[in-house]
Amino acid sequence: SNMRSYAMLTPELTQLYMGSYKATYGETELGLKTKGLVAIAAALTSGCKGCLEGHFKKAKREGATSDEIAEVIAITLGVNAATIVDRSDIANFHLGGLFDKPD
């Protein structure tokens, strides 16, 4: 059978989540295309496959192009690479500089 989203949530939690989701995608300062691009970056970062597929579809409906999606992917990649560098530096710092900077 097909997997269903929200299958493990109580009706009350589903309603709470859906209310938040609808508010997020209502009329605000950011347009729906921009929100879709931001959501793609968030889905890439969180690793949510279903989210990513859904937000790809929404972004396409709102006029996002392949070039814009590629740019979002590149930005997300860059931020995540910086996160790895930052975490490594912080860990080494907290260990009293256990490792010297490589040559």
Side-chain angles (χ1 to χ4, degrees):
S1 72
N2 291 334
M3 187 181 84
R4 292 180 331 141
S5 291
Y6 323 113
M8 300 301 295
L9 294 182
T10 64
E12 295 81 12
L13 285 174
T14 300
Q15 184 179 14
L16 180 65
Y17 170 77
M18 292 309 291
S20 173
Y21 186 86
K22 287 177 183 176
T24 301
Y25 282 90
E27 290 296 323
T28 62
E29 295 297 316
L30 297 177
L32 291 177
K33 182 172 116 176
T34 300
K35 288 180 183 188
L37 296 173
V38 170
I40 288 168
L44 286 167
T45 301
S46 69
C48 181
K49 180 181 180 289
C51 300
L52 185 58
E53 290 174 0
H55 290 300
F56 267 13
K57 290 176 186 176
K58 288 177 188 172
K60 179 77 169 180
R61 266 195 320 267
E62 295 301 326
T65 66
S66 296
D67 287 341
E68 289 171 322
I69 299 298
E71 191 169 347
V72 166
I73 292 168
I75 291 167
T76 306
L77 180 64
V79 170
N80 280 283
T83 299
I84 291 168
V85 170
D86 186 55
R87 286 179 181 171
S88 300
D89 288 344
I90 291 169
N92 195 48
F93 174 80
H94 286 284
L95 292 170
L98 185 63
F99 292 97
D100 294 330
K101 184 174 181 168
D103 296 331

